[in-house]
Amino acid sequence: QVQLVESGGGSVQAGGSLKLSCVVSGYHFGSCGMGWYRQAPGKERELVSTINGDGTTRYTDSVKGRFTLSRDKSKNTLYLQMNSLKTEDTAVYYCAASLTPRCVGGVSYGTYFGQGTQVTVSS
């Protein structure tokens, strides 16, 4: 069973930092694409950052230079380091994994999300 469990959210002042973690189980971590989404109150879920199976990372423009996505295959963990946080970064952050036949076998294919972790940035 594929599971994604986020942690690391909290409340910080603008300019502060947080590091989110996502522990993955149920498939061979690192072979499939993963990412972080966020959803602010009253807004649609937004893709923040992604990493491909080969390690290539991408970021939405609003977080470039401030957020860094990384992974530790030995710990089955995906991270999102968030620096210089702004009030507009306030949202629930979700870890996601996209499982396809090209990257993994023996699982139910599709996109999986964690339960989310709240990030609140105050001015």
PDB file of all heavy atoms in Angstrom, residues 10 12 19 24-25 30 40 51 56 58-59 65 75 77 79 95 99-102 113 122:
ATOM      1  N   GLY A  10       4.180  24.451  10.161  1.00  0.00           N
ATOM      2  CA  GLY A  10       4.093  25.235  11.385  1.00  0.00           C
ATOM      3  C   GLY A  10       3.827  26.681  11.083  1.00  0.00           C
ATOM      4  O   GLY A  10       3.458  27.033   9.956  1.00  0.00           O
ATOM      5  N   VAL A  12       5.396  30.554  11.174  1.00  0.00           N
ATOM      6  CA  VAL A  12       6.621  31.344  11.200  1.00  0.00           C
ATOM      7  C   VAL A  12       6.305  32.765  10.781  1.00  0.00           C
ATOM      8  O   VAL A  12       5.268  33.027  10.151  1.00  0.00           O
ATOM      9  CB  VAL A  12       7.718  30.769  10.273  1.00  0.00           C
ATOM     10  CG1 VAL A  12       8.165  29.410  10.741  1.00  0.00           C
ATOM     11  CG2 VAL A  12       7.228  30.724   8.838  1.00  0.00           C
ATOM     12  N   LYS A  19      11.235  23.473   6.939  1.00  0.00           N
ATOM     13  CA  LYS A  19      11.608  22.344   6.082  1.00  0.00           C
ATOM     14  C   LYS A  19      10.551  21.262   6.227  1.00  0.00           C
ATOM     15  O   LYS A  19      10.334  20.729   7.309  1.00  0.00           O
ATOM     16  CB  LYS A  19      12.979  21.785   6.461  1.00  0.00           C
ATOM     17  CG  LYS A  19      13.476  20.708   5.499  1.00  0.00           C
ATOM     18  CD  LYS A  19      14.898  20.299   5.826  1.00  0.00           C
ATOM     19  CE  LYS A  19      15.445  19.317   4.793  1.00  0.00           C
ATOM     20  NZ  LYS A  19      16.860  18.949   5.068  1.00  0.00           N
ATOM     21  N   VAL A  24       7.851   8.207   2.432  1.00  0.00           N
ATOM     22  CA  VAL A  24       7.125   7.412   1.445  1.00  0.00           C
ATOM     23  C   VAL A  24       7.287   5.928   1.739  1.00  0.00           C
ATOM     24  O   VAL A  24       8.379   5.467   2.096  1.00  0.00           O
ATOM     25  CB  VAL A  24       7.658   7.719   0.033  1.00  0.00           C
ATOM     26  CG1 VAL A  24       6.959   6.842  -1.000  1.00  0.00           C
ATOM     27  CG2 VAL A  24       7.473   9.186  -0.297  1.00  0.00           C
ATOM     28  N   SER A  25       6.223   5.177   1.563  1.00  0.00           N
ATOM     29  CA  SER A  25       6.299   3.723   1.692  1.00  0.00           C
ATOM     30  C   SER A  25       5.381   3.078   0.672  1.00  0.00           C
ATOM     31  O   SER A  25       4.474   3.709   0.136  1.00  0.00           O
ATOM     32  CB  SER A  25       5.893   3.293   3.111  1.00  0.00           C
ATOM     33  OG  SER A  25       4.563   3.677   3.390  1.00  0.00           O
ATOM     34  N   GLY A  30      12.140   6.964  -5.370  1.00  0.00           N
ATOM     35  CA  GLY A  30      13.171   7.563  -6.206  1.00  0.00           C
ATOM     36  C   GLY A  30      13.056   7.203  -7.669  1.00  0.00           C
ATOM     37  O   GLY A  30      13.694   7.830  -8.507  1.00  0.00           O
ATOM     38  N   ALA A  40      -4.106  27.164  -0.754  1.00  0.00           N
ATOM     39  CA  ALA A  40      -4.442  28.249   0.165  1.00  0.00           C
ATOM     40  C   ALA A  40      -5.957  28.338   0.312  1.00  0.00           C
ATOM     41  O   ALA A  40      -6.689  27.893  -0.582  1.00  0.00           O
ATOM     42  CB  ALA A  40      -3.883  29.563  -0.358  1.00  0.00           C
ATOM     43  N   ILE A  51      10.134  16.757  -8.885  1.00  0.00           N
ATOM     44  CA  ILE A  51      11.408  16.086  -9.154  1.00  0.00           C
ATOM     45  C   ILE A  51      11.116  14.833  -9.962  1.00  0.00           C
ATOM     46  O   ILE A  51      10.201  14.069  -9.631  1.00  0.00           O
ATOM     47  CB  ILE A  51      12.168  15.757  -7.849  1.00  0.00           C
ATOM     48  CG1 ILE A  51      13.539  15.165  -8.162  1.00  0.00           C
ATOM     49  CG2 ILE A  51      11.350  14.847  -6.938  1.00  0.00           C
ATOM     50  CD1 ILE A  51      14.470  15.103  -6.952  1.00  0.00           C
ATOM     51  N   THR A  56      15.825  15.575 -11.840  1.00  0.00           N
ATOM     52  CA  THR A  56      15.610  16.933 -12.328  1.00  0.00           C
ATOM     53  C   THR A  56      14.493  17.616 -11.537  1.00  0.00           C
ATOM     54  O   THR A  56      13.418  17.052 -11.363  1.00  0.00           O
ATOM     55  CB  THR A  56      15.227  16.910 -13.806  1.00  0.00           C
ATOM     56  OG1 THR A  56      16.275  16.267 -14.543  1.00  0.00           O
ATOM     57  CG2 THR A  56      15.041  18.319 -14.335  1.00  0.00           C
ATOM     58  N   ARG A  58      12.031  21.116 -10.739  1.00  0.00           N
ATOM     59  CA  ARG A  58      11.394  22.298 -11.314  1.00  0.00           C
ATOM     60  C   ARG A  58      10.603  23.009 -10.224  1.00  0.00           C
ATOM     61  O   ARG A  58      10.154  22.373  -9.274  1.00  0.00           O
ATOM     62  CB  ARG A  58      10.492  21.915 -12.482  1.00  0.00           C
ATOM     63  CG  ARG A  58      11.240  21.403 -13.704  1.00  0.00           C
ATOM     64  CD  ARG A  58      10.310  21.140 -14.877  1.00  0.00           C
ATOM     65  NE  ARG A  58      11.046  20.809 -16.095  1.00  0.00           N
ATOM     66  CZ  ARG A  58      11.429  19.586 -16.409  1.00  0.00           C
ATOM     67  NH1 ARG A  58      11.161  18.580 -15.604  1.00  0.00           N
ATOM     68  NH2 ARG A  58      12.088  19.372 -17.539  1.00  0.00           N
ATOM     69  N   TYR A  59      10.433  24.329 -10.421  1.00  0.00           N
ATOM     70  CA  TYR A  59       9.742  25.145  -9.431  1.00  0.00           C
ATOM     71  C   TYR A  59       8.797  26.111 -10.115  1.00  0.00           C
ATOM     72  O   TYR A  59       9.094  26.622 -11.203  1.00  0.00           O
ATOM     73  CB  TYR A  59      10.745  25.946  -8.596  1.00  0.00           C
ATOM     74  CG  TYR A  59      11.776  25.100  -7.884  1.00  0.00           C
ATOM     75  CD1 TYR A  59      12.975  24.762  -8.497  1.00  0.00           C
ATOM     76  CD2 TYR A  59      11.530  24.635  -6.603  1.00  0.00           C
ATOM     77  CE1 TYR A  59      13.904  23.963  -7.849  1.00  0.00           C
ATOM     78  CE2 TYR A  59      12.459  23.846  -5.940  1.00  0.00           C
ATOM     79  CZ  TYR A  59      13.646  23.514  -6.580  1.00  0.00           C
ATOM     80  OH  TYR A  59      14.565  22.728  -5.930  1.00  0.00           O
ATOM     81  N   GLY A  65      14.299  30.268  -6.240  1.00  0.00           N
ATOM     82  CA  GLY A  65      15.300  30.980  -5.458  1.00  0.00           C
ATOM     83  C   GLY A  65      15.041  30.964  -3.966  1.00  0.00           C
ATOM     84  O   GLY A  65      15.911  31.357  -3.181  1.00  0.00           O
ATOM     85  N   LYS A  75      16.441   7.196   3.038  1.00  0.00           N
ATOM     86  CA  LYS A  75      15.411   7.396   4.057  1.00  0.00           C
ATOM     87  C   LYS A  75      14.005   7.407   3.465  1.00  0.00           C
ATOM     88  O   LYS A  75      13.038   7.681   4.185  1.00  0.00           O
ATOM     89  CB  LYS A  75      15.663   8.709   4.799  1.00  0.00           C
ATOM     90  CG  LYS A  75      16.965   8.733   5.575  1.00  0.00           C
ATOM     91  CD  LYS A  75      17.135  10.052   6.312  1.00  0.00           C
ATOM     92  CE  LYS A  75      18.435  10.057   7.115  1.00  0.00           C
ATOM     93  NZ  LYS A  75      18.635  11.336   7.835  1.00  0.00           N
ATOM     94  N   THR A  77      12.586   9.581   1.739  1.00  0.00           N
ATOM     95  CA  THR A  77      12.023  10.857   2.168  1.00  0.00           C
ATOM     96  C   THR A  77      12.254  11.953   1.130  1.00  0.00           C
ATOM     97  O   THR A  77      13.353  12.080   0.588  1.00  0.00           O
ATOM     98  CB  THR A  77      12.602  11.289   3.519  1.00  0.00           C
ATOM     99  OG1 THR A  77      12.357  10.264   4.490  1.00  0.00           O
ATOM    100  CG2 THR A  77      11.969  12.584   4.001  1.00  0.00           C
ATOM    101  N   TYR A  79      11.953  16.155   0.587  1.00  0.00           N
ATOM    102  CA  TYR A  79      12.010  17.359   1.409  1.00  0.00           C
ATOM    103  C   TYR A  79      11.651  18.598   0.592  1.00  0.00           C
ATOM    104  O   TYR A  79      11.802  18.620  -0.626  1.00  0.00           O
ATOM    105  CB  TYR A  79      13.425  17.563   1.964  1.00  0.00           C
ATOM    106  CG  TYR A  79      13.936  16.438   2.815  1.00  0.00           C
ATOM    107  CD1 TYR A  79      14.827  15.496   2.298  1.00  0.00           C
ATOM    108  CD2 TYR A  79      13.542  16.311   4.140  1.00  0.00           C
ATOM    109  CE1 TYR A  79      15.309  14.458   3.076  1.00  0.00           C
ATOM    110  CE2 TYR A  79      14.021  15.270   4.933  1.00  0.00           C
ATOM    111  CZ  TYR A  79      14.903  14.347   4.390  1.00  0.00           C
ATOM    112  OH  TYR A  79      15.368  13.322   5.173  1.00  0.00           O
ATOM    113  N   CYS A  95       2.423  16.509  -0.272  1.00  0.00           N
ATOM    114  CA  CYS A  95       3.383  15.718  -1.022  1.00  0.00           C
ATOM    115  C   CYS A  95       2.617  14.833  -2.004  1.00  0.00           C
ATOM    116  O   CYS A  95       1.516  14.358  -1.683  1.00  0.00           O
ATOM    117  CB  CYS A  95       4.162  14.864  -0.020  1.00  0.00           C
ATOM    118  SG  CYS A  95       5.291  13.677  -0.714  1.00  0.00           S
ATOM    119  N   LEU A  99       2.745   7.553  -9.920  1.00  0.00           N
ATOM    120  CA  LEU A  99       3.190   6.183 -10.175  1.00  0.00           C
ATOM    121  C   LEU A  99       2.651   5.712 -11.524  1.00  0.00           C
ATOM    122  O   LEU A  99       1.423   5.653 -11.721  1.00  0.00           O
ATOM    123  CB  LEU A  99       2.711   5.259  -9.053  1.00  0.00           C
ATOM    124  CG  LEU A  99       3.107   5.683  -7.636  1.00  0.00           C
ATOM    125  CD1 LEU A  99       2.754   4.602  -6.636  1.00  0.00           C
ATOM    126  CD2 LEU A  99       4.575   6.033  -7.555  1.00  0.00           C
ATOM    127  N   THR A 100       3.553   5.382 -12.429  1.00  0.00           N
ATOM    128  CA  THR A 100       3.193   4.904 -13.761  1.00  0.00           C
ATOM    129  C   THR A 100       3.933   3.602 -14.040  1.00  0.00           C
ATOM    130  O   THR A 100       4.950   3.300 -13.393  1.00  0.00           O
ATOM    131  CB  THR A 100       3.563   5.938 -14.829  1.00  0.00           C
ATOM    132  OG1 THR A 100       4.991   5.985 -14.942  1.00  0.00           O
ATOM    133  CG2 THR A 100       3.046   7.320 -14.472  1.00  0.00           C
ATOM    134  N   PRO A 101       3.484   2.859 -15.048  1.00  0.00           N
ATOM    135  CA  PRO A 101       4.173   1.604 -15.378  1.00  0.00           C
ATOM    136  C   PRO A 101       5.620   1.819 -15.823  1.00  0.00           C
ATOM    137  O   PRO A 101       6.417   0.887 -15.763  1.00  0.00           O
ATOM    138  CB  PRO A 101       3.329   1.046 -16.524  1.00  0.00           C
ATOM    139  CG  PRO A 101       1.974   1.623 -16.315  1.00  0.00           C
ATOM    140  CD  PRO A 101       2.232   3.004 -15.797  1.00  0.00           C
ATOM    141  N   ARG A 102       5.945   3.042 -16.260  1.00  0.00           N
ATOM    142  CA  ARG A 102       7.304   3.307 -16.718  1.00  0.00           C
ATOM    143  C   ARG A 102       8.295   3.384 -15.571  1.00  0.00           C
ATOM    144  O   ARG A 102       9.503   3.257 -15.770  1.00  0.00           O
ATOM    145  CB  ARG A 102       7.349   4.606 -17.512  1.00  0.00           C
ATOM    146  CG  ARG A 102       6.591   4.551 -18.829  1.00  0.00           C
ATOM    147  CD  ARG A 102       6.812   5.816 -19.649  1.00  0.00           C
ATOM    148  NE  ARG A 102       8.210   5.979 -20.031  1.00  0.00           N
ATOM    149  CZ  ARG A 102       8.669   7.008 -20.728  1.00  0.00           C
ATOM    150  NH1 ARG A 102       7.850   7.968 -21.088  1.00  0.00           N
ATOM    151  NH2 ARG A 102       9.944   7.089 -21.048  1.00  0.00           N
ATOM    152  N   PHE A 113      -1.489  11.377  -2.911  1.00  0.00           N
ATOM    153  CA  PHE A 113      -1.228  12.559  -2.085  1.00  0.00           C
ATOM    154  C   PHE A 113      -1.157  12.159  -0.619  1.00  0.00           C
ATOM    155  O   PHE A 113      -1.832  11.226  -0.181  1.00  0.00           O
ATOM    156  CB  PHE A 113      -2.337  13.601  -2.255  1.00  0.00           C
ATOM    157  CG  PHE A 113      -2.334  14.287  -3.587  1.00  0.00           C
ATOM    158  CD1 PHE A 113      -3.073  13.779  -4.641  1.00  0.00           C
ATOM    159  CD2 PHE A 113      -1.587  15.450  -3.784  1.00  0.00           C
ATOM    160  CE1 PHE A 113      -3.079  14.414  -5.882  1.00  0.00           C
ATOM    161  CE2 PHE A 113      -1.586  16.085  -5.015  1.00  0.00           C
ATOM    162  CZ  PHE A 113      -2.332  15.566  -6.068  1.00  0.00           C
ATOM    163  N   SER A 122       3.164  34.656   9.003  1.00  0.00           N
ATOM    164  CA  SER A 122       2.559  35.894   9.477  1.00  0.00           C
ATOM    165  C   SER A 122       3.493  37.077   9.223  1.00  0.00           C
ATOM    166  O   SER A 122       4.712  36.921   9.167  1.00  0.00           O
ATOM    167  CB  SER A 122       2.241  35.797  10.965  1.00  0.00           C
ATOM    168  OG  SER A 122       3.417  35.528  11.697  1.00  0.00           O
TER     169      SER A 122
END
